[in-house]
Amino acid sequence: MKLLTSFCLILSTMWMVSCSSLSDTRVTSPDGRISLSFTLDEQAAPVYQVDVEEHPFLLPSRLGFCDAEGHPLSQGFQVRDVDFSSVDENWTQPWGENKELRNCYNEMAVTLDNEAGIRLLLRFRLFDDGLGFRYEYDVPGVDSLLLTDELTTFALAAADGPSWSIPAHYDTYELLYRSMPLAEVETANTPMTFQVAGQYASIHEAALTDFPEMTLQRVTPGCFKAELAPWPDGIKARFAGGHFVTPWRTVQLAEEAVGLINSSLLLNLNEPCVLPSADWIRPMKYVGIWWGMHLGIEGWAMGDRHGATTANALRHIDFAAANQIEAVMFEGWNQGWENWGGNQVFDYTQPYEDFDMEKIAAYAAEKGVQIIGHHETGGNIFNYERQLDKAFGWYAAHGIHSVKTGYAGGLPQGHNHHGQFNVRHYRKVVQKAAEYRLTIDAHEPIKDTGIRRTYPNMMTREGARGMEWNAWSEGNPPSHHVLLPFTRLLAGPMDYTPGIFDILYERAKKSPLRKQWNMRDSKDCRVNTTLAKQIALWVILYSPLQMASDLIENYEGHPAFQFFRDFDADCDWSKAVAGEPGEYVAIVRRAGEKYFFGAATNEEARSMALKLDFLQPGQTYRAVVYADAPDADWETNPTAYVIREQSVTSNDSLDIRMARGGGQAITFLPVTGTE
Ligand code: NOJ
Ligand code: CA
């Protein structure tokens, strides 16, 4: 086994393959801009190359796997068959940034086999906005397969551009994004976004349901090899029998950075919906008993500061009902929070004594407000899996259709969060939840790879540094929110939980209940944005479950909260209209007849012209603008904002001004004849 592993290492570093000709087998994108060539090299190992507009983008790059038994999974192949096909179809999803999508690609399916009888089908799909490829292996005569390495390589032809990513880590994505020269990236988690040769690009994966996650490891500057999150024994992936299919390895491509955001390549590479019906799944806005715990003025466990009490829950339900907010979420309602940080053993059907679930559920139903349940596991997935049926059944019996899950803690038995073992767990939870008509909002999740198309009850997830980091750390810098849309959010929705209006925690700091339990010495704990930017983030950071995360008392009587009242999390159409990673971003979304606009900037103040040509022609709209005040500044004057209204049509344009660390949000409400 040791010998074989080193053999694989040698193979994997031989990225610069020499091939007789790469024009043997070639497929192009429907618009002809991107082409992919396939060939076998001198060891009869599969190799691919990508050109964009006739210029090399990926140099000849290796494909294949190694396993513990030394099966020749990566060489000695002959091409048996090459099939070309094309698809151009429209499909709809029950919810999403865009409900109507087009799936248009050319496929080349290359069937290979070798003397060991191994059959490998390599499926390459080329879209106008990038490409994906996956492996389908059949190894005869084996009871199981233990993969030890993936050889897939992305050998970029040029590495002299910038890049935006977090480092590879098998347990967390809650890391700060780095803007750095691509050539200096040693490891990266995906999506890794970069700009070279006049193209913006992002490497990621699609349809990860039974495989470890892929990260990127530098081989030479600009040349990256796939690295898979391991099992505790070092094996990367294990399968019963000799058949396995990998997730898609993807490269999104766009001439403008916002083109990456507007791409639906990842969803197109996922399987269609498998749920018998999805009409019970709908996007919602929510508030919750949450931020108080992170600030340290409330606690999860029962005690003097307990947040999830019956009275507090009813107060939140009243607030939601009065403010056109569909749902409420309560954390710290169930037994098991006493030893937070230890080996958690939560009970998912035992509420604390001061949380009267029957009364709360009945009150929510009476008020027409949905409850989003909460299951923190602390990483103890065995305890969770044991209770899964009972826990989901219990929620369903209380009329609950949505659960926020959490995995804040190390996993048992040496497993990591992103390996195949836990990927299977996340998938099991999604499938089981669907049986009980529950949607999932996973925190500390596996990264998003678009499986929401197949399981639309997998609604949103965390998977990056969210709002919570501002409560107890140095916080997320102003550039964070203009990096996320070009990196993490390319993968799918994020439950960032924006909307803190008490930017400097003035209320929390005055609270006699606040203890140092959760907060760092607080003088440098704050939200590093302006208030207007917090509003804009409700639009920018797409989540079908969108939270207004501040203490509800901070919204009472606040004029700017009108934005959230008007906001609709169930959008139909979206477009990123301008932006550069780490600098700024501007996104517009339509929900029914309303439009919502959000723009945000990093530490620099900036202005941009926004053409309103996305509005319906001939229709007049009341534009309600939530802007940074002229003297606003995220550091010195973060809460200064102005609200102004004007009448606009699709022929107009608006001057969007943003303060340092600021932003702007606009609601466009159609004016009816009677107004
Ligand atoms: C981490 C989650 O991201 C956060 O939202 C939650 O409050 C805590 N875990 C406790 O479950
Ligand atoms: Ca978290």
Side-chain angles (χ1 to χ4, degrees):
M1 159 110 177
K2 205 168 173 197
L3 247 180
L4 287 167
T5 311
S6 15
F7 175 64
C8 278
L9 273 178
I10 294 165
L11 269 181
S12 65
T13 50
M14 290 165 52
W15 64 273
M16 207 184 288
V17 285
S18 70
C19 319
S20 45
S21 157
L22 271 165
S23 58
D24 300 346
T25 314
R26 187 166 177 266
V27 59
T28 60
S29 57
D31 65 2
R33 226 170 60 84
I34 310 169
S35 70
L36 182 144
S37 308
F38 170 85
T39 197
L40 294 171
D41 71 5
E42 284 152 1
Q43 282 87 40
V47 170
Y48 75 112
Q49 171 183 326
V50 174
D51 291 353
V52 179
E53 283 165 1
E54 316 269 305
H55 296 293
F57 183 78
L58 287 177
L59 299 174
S61 299
R62 182 170 283 284
L63 295 163
F65 282 86
C66 298
D67 83 333
E69 302 301 323
H71 293 107
L73 298 177
S74 65
Q75 58 183 341
F77 284 109
Q78 293 178 42
V79 175
R80 278 290 154 221
D81 198 10
V82 183
D83 274 336
F84 292 90
S85 58
S86 296
V87 165
D88 188 358
E89 62 183 8
N90 294 317
W91 60 280
T92 57
Q93 50 182 351
W95 57 267
E97 300 89 327
N98 294 287
K99 285 194 184 139
E100 309 285 327
L101 295 154
R102 183 175 176 204
N103 181 27
C104 178
Y105 63 81
N106 291 330
E107 176 174 297
M108 175 172 72
V110 183
T111 306
L112 308 162
D113 56 22
N114 62 20
E115 282 183 356
I118 293 168
R119 178 152 287 220
L120 166 60
L121 176 62
L122 277 164
R123 223 178 262 288
F124 299 97
R125 285 193 186 161
L126 270 81
F127 302 77
D128 290 348
D129 51 356
L131 60 104
F133 57 89
R134 81 173 347 165
Y135 303 81
E136 299 174 23
Y137 271 100
D138 278 297
V139 181
V142 296
D143 296 335
S144 63
L145 272 174
L146 302 175
L147 301 185
T148 52
D149 199 12
E150 174 167 348
L151 304 179
T152 306
T153 302
F154 305 89
L156 289 156
D160 54 352
S163 74
W164 304 276
S165 67
I166 50 172
H169 195 297
Y170 296 140
D171 266 312
T172 184
Y173 307 112
E174 297 187 25
L175 302 168
L176 282 175
Y177 278 85
R178 309 160 302 179
S179 298
M180 65 193 288
L182 180 64
E184 289 174 19
V185 174
E186 299 270 356
T187 73
N189 222 309
T190 69
M192 177 181 82
T193 301
F194 52 96
Q195 185 192 17
V196 289
Q199 298 293 318
Y200 287 87
S202 188
I203 298 177
H204 189 44
E205 57 183 311
L208 170 63
T209 66
D210 186 9
F211 215 70
E213 80 165 358
M214 178 186 78
T215 66
L216 299 171
Q217 169 75 48
R218 176 165 91 168
V219 181
T220 58
C223 176
F224 297 94
K225 181 191 157 299
E227 278 294 329
L228 303 174
W231 288 71
D233 61 2
I235 295 295
K236 303 293 174 50
R238 35 187 22 111
F239 299 97
H243 177 73
F244 73 95
V245 177
T246 68
W248 295 89
R249 276 56 186 106
T250 61
V251 184
Q252 284 177 267
L253 285 158
E255 282 170 2
E256 293 185 333
V258 288
L260 298 176
I261 300 176
N262 293 326
S263 154
S264 48
L265 183 132
L266 294 170
L267 287 174
N268 280 329
L269 284 169
N270 273 269
E271 299 301 316
C273 177
V274 293
L275 305 187
S277 90
D279 51 9
W280 54 276
I281 303 171
R282 59 190 173 89
M284 300 188 288
K285 299 182 282 189
Y286 73 102
V287 287
I289 299 178
W290 178 76
W291 187 232
M293 274 87 103
H294 286 273
L295 290 179
I297 57 174
E298 288 177 320
W300 280 278
M302 207 168 89
D304 60 345
R305 289 177 297 145
H306 192 206
T309 62
T310 305
N312 206 11
L314 300 187
R315 187 171 72 95
H316 279 73
I317 292 168
D318 283 337
F319 179 84
N323 288 281
Q324 294 96 57
I325 294 167
E326 291 98 341
V328 289
M329 196 274 303
F330 312 124
E331 289 198 4
W333 65 275
N334 63 321
Q335 294 186 14
W337 289 90
E338 294 70 33
N339 316 308
W340 182 228
N343 183 23
Q344 298 296 117
V345 185
F346 288 100
D347 190 321
Y348 301 104
T349 52
Q350 281 303 320
Y352 283 123
E353 269 165 44
D354 58 352
F355 186 84
D356 184 341
M357 186 61 175
E358 311 304 322
K359 185 171 176 181
I360 293 163
Y363 193 68
E366 185 191 317
K367 294 277 176 174
V369 171
Q370 297 284 321
I371 295 175
I372 299 177
H374 183 239
H375 287 166
E376 176 57 62
T377 66
N380 191 346
I381 63 172
F382 296 127
N383 177 51
Y384 192 36
E385 289 199 5
R386 264 195 305 273
Q387 298 181 56
L388 214 47
D389 264 300
K390 197 172 155 208
F392 285 172
W394 191 80
Y395 265 154
H398 286 91
I400 293 174
H401 295 295
S402 194
V403 189
K404 171 179 172 180
T405 58
Y407 298 86
L411 296 194
Q413 298 178 1
H415 287 288
N416 58 51
H417 279 70
H418 304 161
Q420 184 185 24
F421 175 80
N422 217 30
V423 168
R424 285 176 174 166
H425 166 77
Y426 289 118
R427 183 188 54 176
K428 180 193 271 187
V429 170
V430 171
Q431 288 172 330
K432 186 59 78 184
E435 287 173 28
Y436 290 91
R437 294 197 155 209
L438 285 162
T439 68
I440 296 292
D441 166 7
H443 279 233
E444 297 78 41
I446 187 65
K447 64 184 167 188
D448 202 340
T449 57
I451 70 160
R452 59 179 157 142
R453 179 176 180 189
T454 315
Y455 303 102
N457 67 314
M458 180 57 247
M459 288 197 94
T460 188
R461 64 186 92 200
E462 192 187 36
R465 279 171 68 128
M467 181 62 79
E468 60 179 357
W469 281 82
N470 296 309
W472 31 254
S473 79
E474 75 286 3
N476 299 329
S479 58
H480 187 62
H481 318 97
V482 287
L483 281 161
L484 287 175
F486 297 97
T487 51
R488 160 67 186 82
L489 275 104
L490 296 182
M494 176 176 178
D495 190 33
Y496 181 89
T497 69
I500 299 299
F501 281 10
D502 185 10
I503 301 270
L504 302 175
Y505 312 154
E506 276 153 341
R507 187 183 288 266
K509 283 175 185 167
K510 279 187 217 131
S511 168
L513 291 175
R514 192 188 131 248
K515 295 192 180 150
Q516 292 301 326
W517 181 38
N518 272 316
M519 281 182 103
R520 277 197 338 155
D521 187 12
S522 57
K523 64 181 175 2
D524 46 352
C525 276
R526 54 160 294 178
V527 172
N528 301 320
T529 73
T530 65
L531 190 145
K533 181 168 170 180
Q534 286 296 308
I535 300 171
L537 294 181
W538 279 322
V539 182
I540 293 169
L541 302 178
Y542 174 71
S543 180
L545 298 174
Q546 189 60 286
M547 187 181 198
S549 54
D550 210 341
L551 307 174
I552 54 176
E553 45 271 43
N554 290 333
Y555 297 135
E556 300 274 13
H558 203 302
F561 198 61
Q562 187 56 38
F563 182 89
F564 199 69
R565 272 184 217 112
D566 291 332
F567 185 66
D568 190 343
D570 188 8
C571 70
D572 298 298
W573 168 89
S574 301
K575 188 175 179 191
V577 290
E580 287 296 333
E583 292 181 28
Y584 76 108
V585 71
I587 296 181
V588 61
R589 305 194 195 279
R590 178 176 64 76
E593 298 193 330
K594 296 181 190 173
Y595 287 81
F596 302 98
F597 170 79
T601 180
N602 59 4
E603 291 82 354
E604 275 179 43
R606 73 183 82 219
S607 312
M608 59 168 278
L610 175 68
K611 279 197 197 151
L612 303 186
D613 53 5
F614 52 83
L615 295 173
Q616 292 304 306
Q619 172 69 53
T620 302
Y621 293 82
R622 181 162 68 91
V624 187
V625 179
Y626 300 78
D628 291 319
D631 57 348
D633 180 296
W634 77 274
E635 278 182 298
T636 58
N637 195 13
T639 52
Y641 72 96
V642 288
I643 302 178
R644 58 173 185 272
E645 293 197 13
Q646 70 188 89
S647 186
V648 297
T649 71
S650 61
N651 296 326
D652 295 322
S653 51
L654 294 175
D655 184 19
I656 309 295
R657 289 174 190 228
M658 297 178 272
R660 295 177 63 243
Q664 188 169 133
I666 308 175
T667 339
F668 296 94
L669 306 165
V671 177
T672 59
T674 51
E675 280 180 63

